[in-house]
Each structure stands twice: as C-alpha cells, then as structure tokens.
Amino acid sequence: MAWLLVIVAGILETGFAVCLKLSHGFTRLWPTISFAAFALSSFGLLTLALKRLDVGPAYAVWTGIGAAGTAIYGMVFLGDVVSTLKLVSITLVIVGVIGLQLSGGAH
C-alpha cells in the first residue's frame, strides 16, 4: 500500500510541475490553485508512505515518476522538443528507479 501512495504522489508531482509552468510565475489563478492542490497532495501522500518505507528508494521513485512524467507530458502536450537523447534519458531515469528497487534497499 505504501508503494501505491508513492506512485500516486509521483503522478501528482507531474501535475504540480505542469501547473507550475502553466501558472506563468503564479500570475494565472487556476493553474496556481491547481499547483498548490497537486503539491500539497503529492507531499502529503509521500509523507504517509515514508512512515513505512526507506526514504532513499521512495524519494527516488517519487522524483523519477515526476521527472519522467513531466518530460513526457511536456513533449506530448506542451510542444517541448522531442529528441532521441531526451527519450533515452527518460528511459535511464526509469531504469535507475527500477534498479534501486531491485537492489534490495526497499521492503
């Protein structure tokens, strides 16, 4: 259950990063409100998960999902440049997170 919280928190991290961009420096009301809601929810779920999980692997999964999700969202919906290097890098982030899990550091 704790890992499910981390995964959802990572998805919400993607939401707050995208809303942060859309807020244009907190000058647009609804993206700013959405940013705050996503951020509070993401940090709240991560906090709950960390009661049961080691911080290193949990944080790596949270940030990995957030980083990969945000990059993918930007390329698909915001017109960010798509390049082979960017796609390989996203893959490496995901592989690195999986590697941390398989290393035995998590329970």
Side-chain angles (χ1 to χ4, degrees):
M1 183 64 170
W3 281 112
L4 179 61
L5 294 177
V6 172
I7 291 167
V8 173
I11 293 167
L12 292 170
E13 183 190 1
T14 297
F16 83 67
V18 170
C19 289
L20 187 61
K21 175 170 178 61
L22 297 176
S23 77
H24 289 272
F26 300 124
T27 61
R28 293 185 175 166
L29 179 63
W30 291 112
T32 300
I33 290 170
S34 298
F35 159 77
F38 279 121
L40 289 172
S41 299
S42 179
F43 285 117
L45 291 177
L46 181 62
T47 299
L48 291 174
L50 288 176
K51 289 181 178 182
R52 301 200 187 281
L53 300 173
D54 291 341
V55 69
Y59 185 75
V61 169
W62 179 70
T63 58
I65 291 169
T70 302
I72 292 166
Y73 187 94
M75 289 184 287
V76 173
F77 297 107
L78 300 177
D80 289 358
V81 175
V82 179
S83 70
T84 301
L85 181 57
K86 194 179 279 190
L87 295 174
V88 168
S89 298
I90 291 168
T91 302
L92 289 172
V93 167
I94 294 167
V95 169
V97 167
I98 293 169
L100 277 172
Q101 291 304 311
L102 296 176
S103 71
H107 36 260

